Amino acid sequence: MKNITGGVCAAQGFVAHGVHCGIRKNTSKNDLSLIVSEIPCSAAAVYTTNLVKGAPLIVTKAHLQNGTAQAVICNSGNANTCNADGIKIAETMSELTAKELGISPDDIVVASTGVIGQPLSVDPIAAALPDLAKGLNPDGGHEAALGIMTTDTVAKEVAVEFTLGGKTCRIGGIAKGSGMIHPNMATMLVFLTSDVAISPEMLQKALSGDIQNTFNMISIDGDTSTNDMVVILSNGKAGNPEITRDDEDFAVFMKALNTVTVGLCRMIAGDGEGATKLLECVVSGAKDTATAKTVAKSVICSSLLKAAMFGADANWGRVLCAIGYSGADVDVTKIDVSFKSAKGEILVCKDGAGVDFSEEIAKEILLEKEIEILVDLGSGDISSTAWGCDLTYDYVKINGDYRT
Amino acid sequence: MKNITGGVCAAQGFVAHGVHCGIRKNTSKNDLSLIVSEIPCSAAAVYTTNLVKGAPLIVTKAHLQNGTAQAVICNSGNANTCNADGIKIAETMSELTAKELGISPDDIVVASTGVIGQPLSVDPIAAALPDLAKGLNPDGGHEAALGIMTTDTVAKEVAVEFTLGGKTCRIGGIAKGSGMIHPNMATMLVFLTSDVAISPEMLQKALSGDIQNTFNMISIDGDTSTNDMVVILSNGKAGNPEITRDDEDFAVFMKALNTVTVGLCRMIAGDGEGATKLLECVVSGAKDTATAKTVAKSVICSSLLKAAMFGADANWGRVLCAIGYSGADVDVTKIDVSFKSAKGEILVCKDGAGVDFSEEIAKEILLEKEIEILVDLGSGDISSTAWGCDLTYDYVKINGDYRT
């Protein structure tokens, strides 16, 4: 398994492009992306659990009912959510895209991200579609990645190459992260593409299983978005024997998928709104998976700890506090906590109580950009990891006046 | 029922005092408070649900098992939590205080608030106790309120006067709020005093019932503290017929108690760490209490909405989003949302979709210091209120380096 470039176009038979169509005011930023496979794909998706759902999710869900799709159209700058005519707009986006590509509207994944509750006009999208389609190319993954960004500061692309049945296979993906992100099913926009031959059922199984340990283990701000979805399209062009059951090939596929999704998770967490640091909470010694996950997510979600990490302050009491209110059944007197980064590792709490440690060394460790918070529950051998970011002045700034 | 001054000394037979003993570095800030009743009181308390509990809570809980107490000793600057010798320190604080007052250690409520996981020396407390006791006086409520503050910017005191069986009665209280506050049982330090004659059982019933609609409906930052407790002492000096069952007098007592606790809740929320605004989310039209409370708390806890309120941005989509992920079973298409303040009220969302509204008027309304977020679920006649505050640069600043 090796990391490669190309993002959403790394897999054979995929082309993509992104343009500025006019939904976002800033003309230097793409706001419309298109990803297309040469041939129809097995398709699978997971969606936000928020009761308030963006209209595009409802339309996409209907389109993916048959397990097949061929293209993704996505705009940023407007979520098309809580709009009276939202469904109609999302359907029109699908129809216009399908017409431009000469395929069925049922094979379109439609997505929107941005402000909630503002009317979305389909006009700029309709006007831009011919150029968008004309520009589709095998190197267009980056332009597409740019087009789905909102307050993201960097485009998020990952791809890997691996072998199945002697054939070279690829999985790649792009993500939109930044804010309104909380672990509860799919929690952001992620489009994954693959050239592996795999049935829609097994593709859904792979995706649904994978997100439990990846996209469901990220939190930026505790707000589960209305528009989140993770979609994967797999067109079979690699020519491997089709994966139709839970066999060795499926395990290899799962591993490759996980490499891409963990890569995207780390990018999303590290580029959380206003973030200066990627936080990774690794919980070990848990008696079961639920406990490990609950503790890891509670730590990563604590506003107080996030603010302390911004200040490079080894305030481990906030880690213990977050574990204590997580709802997990843990023995506090068995918990050890360490902080770790490229500068080293330091134990700050042993058996639930503070230990003498050098504040100077702790500060040096916490001034790094990637921080691991290591929690050993001392009660078993199950582990889990969650990803998040620090809480900064810029989070407040970005969200204090996002709409204007 | 009328509001009066005096805080924790408003009720007959209570004296209090606060001093700087040296736990906090800033010598201009009190860090040790003592509240004493002339005679033993009925006592009741509720405690944090955090599994990590401050040692003082464990000691206080043991002391209150018999429903009786006579004094409260509380330090700020150190939470005495996650310390190997915490219980011993809390017991020593009780014993020293009891000795100074000539009462039993079992009648002492002991509390600590501040940094978690740093050893607490009892020496400065022991050294300060004689002067603290000597200074006890019927006007000392304010000094005591100052002594329990951490990052609070104002002392929080409320008191009311009312009549029971022809006798003038009083309930007063002080609170420590600011950070690590989230609705889940008692969520801050609150000491309430009363001169009403009431049995310990009915006092506990009153307190446990009241907090469900008051202190359990506040959130500053989603972090449930390790050291929170709400304690009430009632010494019977008003001379009313003792309340021993759920009768009319009990109802009057509950109403008076609620006036004090709502007053303290609003003060705590409005003085949340870094807060510039008090947010009050009033949910109406719910089918049941659980739904109303869940929705109100979810809205008040949304980091994104809190940041929008800081920026006086009428971003109502974030209200809908927070309702959608709250877990409450609501019909999104029936939800109306308005913003209200001293400057007026404006409808921004009707039946789950945006309405045309004047951004200018909305801005004017949201620039006020006290904002009501009105949510009508359109599905019943049950209401609930939650209190919180905006998320600001100062929250990050305060918590980015709290310990140093």
Side-chain angles (χ1 to χ4, degrees):
Chain A
M1 179 117 27
K2 66 171 184 186
N3 286 291
I4 57 173
T5 58
V8 86
C9 290
Q12 287 184 60
F14 283 94
V15 289
H17 192 38
V19 297
H20 174 84
C21 76
I23 299 169
R24 298 182 70 163
K25 288 171 195 164
N26 185 338
T27 55
S28 71
K29 292 195 171 177
N30 286 0
D31 56 11
L32 190 64
S33 295
L34 183 59
I35 306 162
V36 183
S37 167
E38 283 175 14
I39 55 173
C41 306
S42 290
V46 285
Y47 308 91
T48 183
T49 55
N50 197 314
L51 282 187
V52 179
K53 286 189 209 307
L57 274 74
I58 295 161
V59 172
T60 294
K61 207 167 181 178
H63 290 178
L64 293 191
Q65 211 126 55
N66 63 356
T68 308
Q70 195 169 347
V72 176
I73 181 82
C74 178
N75 73 275
S76 58
N78 186 313
N80 190 20
T81 299
C82 298
N83 292 330
D85 64 348
I87 301 275
K88 203 179 141 227
I89 294 288
E91 279 172 348
T92 307
M93 273 177 73
S94 297
E95 283 155 18
L96 291 170
T97 306
K99 199 175 162 195
E100 194 67 41
L101 299 173
I103 64 176
S104 159
D106 271 0
D107 285 340
I108 303 285
V109 169
V110 57
S112 297
T113 182
V115 185
I116 299 171
Q118 289 194 348
L120 172 64
S121 166
V122 84
D123 296 346
I125 298 168
L129 264 171
D131 277 348
L132 184 63
K134 202 180 295 170
L136 286 166
N137 73 91
D139 298 317
H142 186 65
E143 288 295 330
L146 292 172
I148 65 171
M149 287 164 63
T150 55
T151 49
D152 304 63
T153 64
V154 293
K156 297 169 182 69
E157 303 175 79
V158 178
V160 295
E161 191 172 283
F162 55 105
T163 307
L164 276 177
K167 304 290 184 180
T168 299
C169 299
R170 288 162 178 173
I171 301 178
I174 59 175
K176 170 267 161 191
S178 230
M180 212 181 257
I181 289 179
H182 187 61
N184 203 355
M185 284 296 291
T187 50
M188 64 287 306
L189 283 184
V190 178
F191 303 119
L192 302 162
T193 55
S194 160
D195 46 24
V196 171
I198 180 169
S199 71
E201 294 73 27
M202 293 312 290
L203 192 60
Q204 184 68 55
K205 186 176 178 179
L207 185 64
S208 297
D210 183 75
I211 62 152
Q212 303 303 336
N213 299 311
T214 55
F215 299 120
N216 272 7
M217 294 300 289
I218 308 180
S219 185
I220 303 300
D221 52 12
D223 280 273
T224 302
S225 155
T226 54
N227 283 50
D228 300 337
M229 61 172 135
V230 181
V231 178
I232 183 162
L233 305 182
S234 205
N235 64 15
K237 291 203 61 129
N240 62 298
E242 190 184 17
I243 298 172
T244 57
R245 59 198 173 85
D246 193 345
D247 56 12
E248 267 181 48
D249 282 2
F250 183 68
V252 172
F253 181 80
M254 282 291 282
K255 197 180 161 206
L257 177 62
N258 190 252
T259 304
V260 173
T261 55
V262 167
L264 291 173
C265 279
R266 290 175 57 93
M267 286 182 177
I268 288 170
D271 191 33
E273 277 177 342
T276 70
K277 288 176 199 300
L278 166 66
L279 305 182
E280 188 168 83
C281 180
V282 182
V283 173
S284 62
K287 63 179 178 182
D288 53 41
T289 303
T291 302
K293 286 189 173 186
T294 300
V295 168
K297 287 199 283 189
S298 188
V299 170
I300 228 69
C301 287
S302 162
S303 291
L304 285 169
L305 179 67
K306 287 152 58 105
M309 292 296 100
F310 172 56
D313 178 16
N315 199 332
W316 60 269
R318 293 177 178 172
V319 177
L320 264 277
C321 178
I323 296 170
Y325 66 67
S326 68
D329 177 24
V330 297
D331 182 345
V332 175
T333 66
K334 289 185 176 169
I335 298 174
D336 298 346
V337 178
S338 300
F339 293 114
K340 185 179 171 185
S341 75
K343 292 283 183 190
E345 182 177 335
I346 190 163
L347 180 75
V348 289
C349 168
K350 176 87 187 153
D351 298 330
V355 296
D356 270 336
F357 65 90
S358 159
E359 290 280 353
E360 211 171 312
I361 293 172
K363 180 71 102 182
E364 198 187 3
I365 288 169
L366 294 178
L367 281 170
E368 289 294 295
K369 295 288 171 208
E370 297 191 4
I371 308 294
E372 283 181 68
I373 301 148
L374 308 177
V375 175
D376 186 344
L377 296 177
S379 305
D381 57 3
I382 306 294
S383 298
S384 184
T385 300
W387 296 272
C389 61
D390 53 348
L391 176 62
T392 70
Y393 299 120
D394 278 355
Y395 178 84
V396 178
K397 187 174 181 185
I398 291 164
N399 288 300
D401 203 3
Y402 174 58
R403 296 185 314 153
T404 53
Chain B
M1 181 121 22
K2 68 172 182 185
N3 285 290
I4 58 173
T5 58
V8 85
C9 290
Q12 286 184 60
F14 283 93
V15 288
H17 191 38
V19 297
H20 173 83
C21 75
I23 299 168
R24 299 183 70 162
K25 289 172 196 162
N26 186 336
T27 56
S28 70
K29 291 194 171 176
N30 285 1
D31 56 11
L32 190 65
S33 294
L34 182 59
I35 306 163
V36 182
S37 167
E38 283 176 15
I39 54 174
C41 306
S42 290
V46 286
Y47 308 91
T48 183
T49 55
N50 196 316
L51 282 188
V52 179
K53 285 190 210 307
L57 274 74
I58 295 161
V59 173
T60 293
K61 207 167 181 177
H63 290 179
L64 293 190
Q65 212 126 54
N66 64 355
T68 309
Q70 194 170 345
V72 176
I73 182 81
C74 177
N75 73 277
S76 58
N78 186 314
N80 190 20
T81 300
C82 298
N83 292 330
D85 64 349
I87 300 274
K88 202 177 141 231
I89 294 289
E91 279 172 350
T92 307
M93 272 177 74
S94 297
E95 283 156 19
L96 291 170
T97 306
K99 200 173 161 196
E100 194 65 41
L101 299 173
I103 63 176
S104 160
D106 270 0
D107 284 340
I108 302 286
V109 169
V110 57
S112 297
T113 180
V115 184
I116 298 172
Q118 290 194 347
L120 172 63
S121 165
V122 85
D123 296 345
I125 298 169
L129 264 172
D131 277 348
L132 184 62
K134 204 179 295 170
L136 287 167
N137 74 90
D139 298 318
H142 185 65
E143 288 295 330
L146 292 172
I148 65 171
M149 288 165 62
T150 55
T151 50
D152 303 64
T153 65
V154 292
K156 296 169 184 69
E157 303 175 78
V158 177
V160 295
E161 191 173 284
F162 56 104
T163 307
L164 276 177
K167 304 290 184 181
T168 300
C169 299
R170 289 163 177 169
I171 301 178
I174 58 175
K176 171 266 162 189
S178 229
M180 213 181 258
I181 289 178
H182 187 60
N184 203 354
M185 283 297 291
T187 50
M188 63 287 305
L189 283 184
V190 179
F191 303 119
L192 302 163
T193 55
S194 159
D195 45 24
V196 171
I198 180 169
S199 70
E201 294 71 28
M202 294 312 291
L203 192 61
Q204 184 68 55
K205 186 175 178 181
L207 185 64
S208 297
D210 183 75
I211 63 152
Q212 304 304 334
N213 299 310
T214 55
F215 299 120
N216 273 5
M217 295 300 288
I218 308 179
S219 186
I220 303 300
D221 51 14
D223 281 272
T224 302
S225 154
T226 54
N227 283 49
D228 299 338
M229 61 172 134
V230 180
V231 178
I232 183 163
L233 304 183
S234 207
N235 64 13
K237 292 204 55 129
N240 63 299
E242 190 183 16
I243 300 172
T244 56
R245 58 199 173 84
D246 193 344
D247 55 12
E248 267 180 47
D249 282 1
F250 184 69
V252 172
F253 181 80
M254 284 290 285
K255 199 181 158 204
L257 178 63
N258 190 251
T259 304
V260 173
T261 55
V262 167
L264 290 173
C265 280
R266 290 175 56 93
M267 285 181 176
I268 289 169
D271 190 34
E273 278 178 341
T276 69
K277 288 176 200 298
L278 167 67
L279 305 183
E280 186 168 85
C281 180
V282 182
V283 173
S284 62
K287 62 179 178 184
D288 54 40
T289 303
T291 302
K293 286 189 172 186
T294 300
V295 168
K297 288 199 283 190
S298 187
V299 169
I300 229 69
C301 289
S302 162
S303 291
L304 286 169
L305 179 66
K306 286 153 58 106
M309 291 297 99
F310 172 56
D313 178 15
N315 199 331
W316 61 268
R318 292 178 179 172
V319 177
L320 265 278
C321 178
I323 297 170
Y325 65 66
S326 68
D329 176 27
V330 297
D331 182 345
V332 176
T333 65
K334 288 183 177 172
I335 298 174
D336 297 347
V337 178
S338 299
F339 293 114
K340 185 180 171 184
S341 75
K343 293 285 183 189
E345 181 177 335
I346 191 163
L347 180 76
V348 288
C349 168
K350 177 86 187 152
D351 298 330
V355 296
D356 270 336
F357 65 89
S358 159
E359 290 279 354
E360 212 169 310
I361 293 172
K363 181 69 103 182
E364 199 186 1
I365 289 170
L366 293 178
L367 282 170
E368 289 294 296
K369 294 287 170 207
E370 297 193 3
I371 308 294
E372 283 181 66
I373 301 148
L374 308 176
V375 175
D376 186 343
L377 297 176
S379 304
D381 56 5
I382 306 294
S383 297
S384 184
T385 300
W387 296 272
C389 62
D390 53 347
L391 176 62
T392 71
Y393 299 121
D394 278 355
Y395 178 85
V396 178
K397 188 174 179 185
I398 291 165
N399 288 299
D401 204 3
Y402 174 58
R403 296 185 313 154
T404 54

mmCIF file of all heavy atoms in Angstrom, chain A residues 218-239:
data_model
loop_
_atom_site.group_PDB
_atom_site.id
_atom_site.type_symbol
_atom_site.label_atom_id
_atom_site.label_comp_id
_atom_site.label_asym_id
_atom_site.label_seq_id
_atom_site.Cartn_x
_atom_site.Cartn_y
_atom_site.Cartn_z
ATOM 1 N N ILE A 218 -14.241 12.281 14.874
ATOM 2 C CA ILE A 218 -13.717 13.652 14.788
ATOM 3 C C ILE A 218 -14.696 14.596 15.456
ATOM 4 O O ILE A 218 -15.902 14.450 15.305
ATOM 5 C CB ILE A 218 -13.618 14.147 13.326
ATOM 6 C CG1 ILE A 218 -12.863 13.174 12.455
ATOM 7 C CG2 ILE A 218 -12.972 15.509 13.269
ATOM 8 C CD1 ILE A 218 -12.783 13.673 11.025
ATOM 9 N N SER A 219 -14.190 15.585 16.154
ATOM 10 C CA SER A 219 -15.053 16.685 16.551
ATOM 11 C C SER A 219 -14.292 17.993 16.488
ATOM 12 O O SER A 219 -13.179 18.108 16.986
ATOM 13 C CB SER A 219 -15.612 16.503 17.953
ATOM 14 O OG SER A 219 -16.530 17.549 18.231
ATOM 15 N N ILE A 220 -14.896 18.968 15.845
ATOM 16 C CA ILE A 220 -14.312 20.310 15.842
ATOM 17 C C ILE A 220 -15.016 21.166 16.890
ATOM 18 O O ILE A 220 -14.395 21.833 17.689
ATOM 19 C CB ILE A 220 -14.448 20.983 14.445
ATOM 20 C CG1 ILE A 220 -13.808 20.123 13.359
ATOM 21 C CG2 ILE A 220 -13.843 22.381 14.465
ATOM 22 C CD1 ILE A 220 -12.344 19.845 13.530
ATOM 23 N N ASP A 221 -16.331 21.114 16.905
ATOM 24 C CA ASP A 221 -17.047 22.052 17.766
ATOM 25 C C ASP A 221 -18.335 21.490 18.368
ATOM 26 O O ASP A 221 -19.112 22.234 18.952
ATOM 27 C CB ASP A 221 -17.358 23.342 17.003
ATOM 28 C CG ASP A 221 -18.054 23.067 15.683
ATOM 29 O OD1 ASP A 221 -18.496 21.917 15.458
ATOM 30 O OD2 ASP A 221 -18.157 23.981 14.866
ATOM 31 N N GLY A 222 -18.551 20.193 18.231
ATOM 32 C CA GLY A 222 -19.730 19.615 18.872
ATOM 33 C C GLY A 222 -21.014 19.854 18.117
ATOM 34 O O GLY A 222 -22.078 19.441 18.546
ATOM 35 N N ASP A 223 -20.955 20.549 16.990
ATOM 36 C CA ASP A 223 -22.164 20.805 16.221
ATOM 37 C C ASP A 223 -22.254 19.843 15.043
ATOM 38 O O ASP A 223 -21.466 19.932 14.101
ATOM 39 C CB ASP A 223 -22.176 22.260 15.715
ATOM 40 C CG ASP A 223 -22.613 23.230 16.793
ATOM 41 O OD1 ASP A 223 -23.822 23.432 16.923
ATOM 42 O OD2 ASP A 223 -21.756 23.750 17.520
ATOM 43 N N THR A 224 -23.210 18.938 15.077
ATOM 44 C CA THR A 224 -23.395 17.982 13.989
ATOM 45 C C THR A 224 -24.127 18.675 12.846
ATOM 46 O O THR A 224 -25.254 19.102 12.999
ATOM 47 C CB THR A 224 -24.241 16.787 14.459
ATOM 48 O OG1 THR A 224 -23.597 16.179 15.573
ATOM 49 C CG2 THR A 224 -24.404 15.768 13.353
ATOM 50 N N SER A 225 -23.486 18.776 11.716
ATOM 51 C CA SER A 225 -24.035 19.536 10.595
ATOM 52 C C SER A 225 -25.292 18.916 10.015
ATOM 53 O O SER A 225 -25.575 17.735 10.187
ATOM 54 C CB SER A 225 -22.975 19.654 9.501
ATOM 55 O OG SER A 225 -23.560 19.855 8.245
ATOM 56 N N THR A 226 -26.018 19.741 9.306
ATOM 57 C CA THR A 226 -27.237 19.324 8.631
ATOM 58 C C THR A 226 -26.964 18.712 7.268
ATOM 59 O O THR A 226 -27.845 18.090 6.687
ATOM 60 C CB THR A 226 -28.140 20.543 8.401
ATOM 61 O OG1 THR A 226 -27.372 21.541 7.713
ATOM 62 C CG2 THR A 226 -28.629 21.117 9.722
ATOM 63 N N ASN A 227 -25.766 18.904 6.743
ATOM 64 C CA ASN A 227 -25.508 18.579 5.344
ATOM 65 C C ASN A 227 -24.431 17.538 5.121
ATOM 66 O O ASN A 227 -23.980 17.333 4.003
ATOM 67 C CB ASN A 227 -25.106 19.860 4.592
ATOM 68 C CG ASN A 227 -26.289 20.729 4.277
ATOM 69 O OD1 ASN A 227 -27.085 21.011 5.155
ATOM 70 N ND2 ASN A 227 -26.436 21.131 3.026
ATOM 71 N N ASP A 228 -24.023 16.864 6.194
ATOM 72 C CA ASP A 228 -22.874 15.982 6.066
ATOM 73 C C ASP A 228 -23.201 14.709 5.321
ATOM 74 O O ASP A 228 -24.217 14.073 5.552
ATOM 75 C CB ASP A 228 -22.361 15.592 7.439
ATOM 76 C CG ASP A 228 -21.941 16.808 8.234
ATOM 77 O OD1 ASP A 228 -21.647 17.830 7.596
ATOM 78 O OD2 ASP A 228 -21.924 16.727 9.457
ATOM 79 N N MET A 229 -22.296 14.342 4.450
ATOM 80 C CA MET A 229 -22.371 13.003 3.876
ATOM 81 C C MET A 229 -20.990 12.549 3.427
ATOM 82 O O MET A 229 -20.116 13.347 3.131
ATOM 83 C CB MET A 229 -23.376 12.932 2.728
ATOM 84 C CG MET A 229 -23.141 13.786 1.533
ATOM 85 S SD MET A 229 -24.355 13.318 0.224
ATOM 86 C CE MET A 229 -24.902 14.909 -0.331
ATOM 87 N N VAL A 230 -20.825 11.250 3.441
ATOM 88 C CA VAL A 230 -19.632 10.625 2.888
ATOM 89 C C VAL A 230 -20.119 9.687 1.796
ATOM 90 O O VAL A 230 -20.963 8.829 2.035
ATOM 91 C CB VAL A 230 -18.872 9.812 3.960
ATOM 92 C CG1 VAL A 230 -17.625 9.185 3.352
ATOM 93 C CG2 VAL A 230 -18.507 10.673 5.155
ATOM 94 N N VAL A 231 -19.614 9.905 0.577
ATOM 95 C CA VAL A 231 -20.060 9.103 -0.561
ATOM 96 C C VAL A 231 -18.854 8.424 -1.183
ATOM 97 O O VAL A 231 -17.784 9.022 -1.287
ATOM 98 C CB VAL A 231 -20.741 9.996 -1.632
ATOM 99 C CG1 VAL A 231 -21.155 9.171 -2.839
ATOM 100 C CG2 VAL A 231 -21.939 10.720 -1.043
ATOM 101 N N ILE A 232 -19.005 7.192 -1.569
ATOM 102 C CA ILE A 232 -17.932 6.507 -2.299
ATOM 103 C C ILE A 232 -18.483 5.929 -3.601
ATOM 104 O O ILE A 232 -19.567 5.342 -3.621
ATOM 105 C CB ILE A 232 -17.248 5.415 -1.437
ATOM 106 C CG1 ILE A 232 -16.092 4.777 -2.214
ATOM 107 C CG2 ILE A 232 -18.239 4.362 -0.934
ATOM 108 C CD1 ILE A 232 -15.107 4.016 -1.349
ATOM 109 N N LEU A 233 -17.734 6.165 -4.676
ATOM 110 C CA LEU A 233 -18.062 5.604 -5.991
ATOM 111 C C LEU A 233 -16.929 4.665 -6.401
ATOM 112 O O LEU A 233 -15.760 5.040 -6.299
ATOM 113 C CB LEU A 233 -18.183 6.715 -7.040
ATOM 114 C CG LEU A 233 -19.159 7.870 -6.768
ATOM 115 C CD1 LEU A 233 -19.163 8.838 -7.972
ATOM 116 C CD2 LEU A 233 -20.564 7.348 -6.520
ATOM 117 N N SER A 234 -17.267 3.479 -6.881
ATOM 118 C CA SER A 234 -16.219 2.534 -7.266
ATOM 119 C C SER A 234 -16.595 1.933 -8.622
ATOM 120 O O SER A 234 -17.637 1.294 -8.756
ATOM 121 C CB SER A 234 -16.082 1.451 -6.182
ATOM 122 O OG SER A 234 -14.797 0.896 -6.189
ATOM 123 N N ASN A 235 -15.748 2.184 -9.630
ATOM 124 C CA ASN A 235 -16.173 1.872 -10.999
ATOM 125 C C ASN A 235 -15.661 0.551 -11.563
ATOM 126 O O ASN A 235 -15.998 0.173 -12.694
ATOM 127 C CB ASN A 235 -15.825 3.031 -11.954
ATOM 128 C CG ASN A 235 -14.332 3.268 -12.072
ATOM 129 O OD1 ASN A 235 -13.522 2.419 -11.673
ATOM 130 N ND2 ASN A 235 -13.965 4.414 -12.635
ATOM 131 N N GLY A 236 -14.790 -0.156 -10.846
ATOM 132 C CA GLY A 236 -14.369 -1.493 -11.294
ATOM 133 C C GLY A 236 -13.348 -1.512 -12.394
ATOM 134 O O GLY A 236 -12.975 -2.591 -12.902
ATOM 135 N N LYS A 237 -12.833 -0.346 -12.784
ATOM 136 C CA LYS A 237 -11.908 -0.318 -13.928
ATOM 137 C C LYS A 237 -10.559 -0.963 -13.643
ATOM 138 O O LYS A 237 -9.779 -1.214 -14.562
ATOM 139 C CB LYS A 237 -11.717 1.123 -14.396
ATOM 140 C CG LYS A 237 -12.996 1.664 -15.034
ATOM 141 C CD LYS A 237 -12.746 2.818 -15.975
ATOM 142 C CE LYS A 237 -11.863 2.474 -17.135
ATOM 143 N NZ LYS A 237 -12.404 2.838 -18.438
ATOM 144 N N ALA A 238 -10.267 -1.242 -12.378
ATOM 145 C CA ALA A 238 -8.992 -1.909 -12.064
ATOM 146 C C ALA A 238 -8.969 -3.345 -12.592
ATOM 147 O O ALA A 238 -7.907 -3.922 -12.819
ATOM 148 C CB ALA A 238 -8.752 -1.918 -10.551
ATOM 149 N N GLY A 239 -10.159 -3.882 -12.809
ATOM 150 C CA GLY A 239 -10.230 -5.225 -13.387
ATOM 151 C C GLY A 239 -10.017 -6.363 -12.407
ATOM 152 O O GLY A 239 -9.845 -7.519 -12.817
#
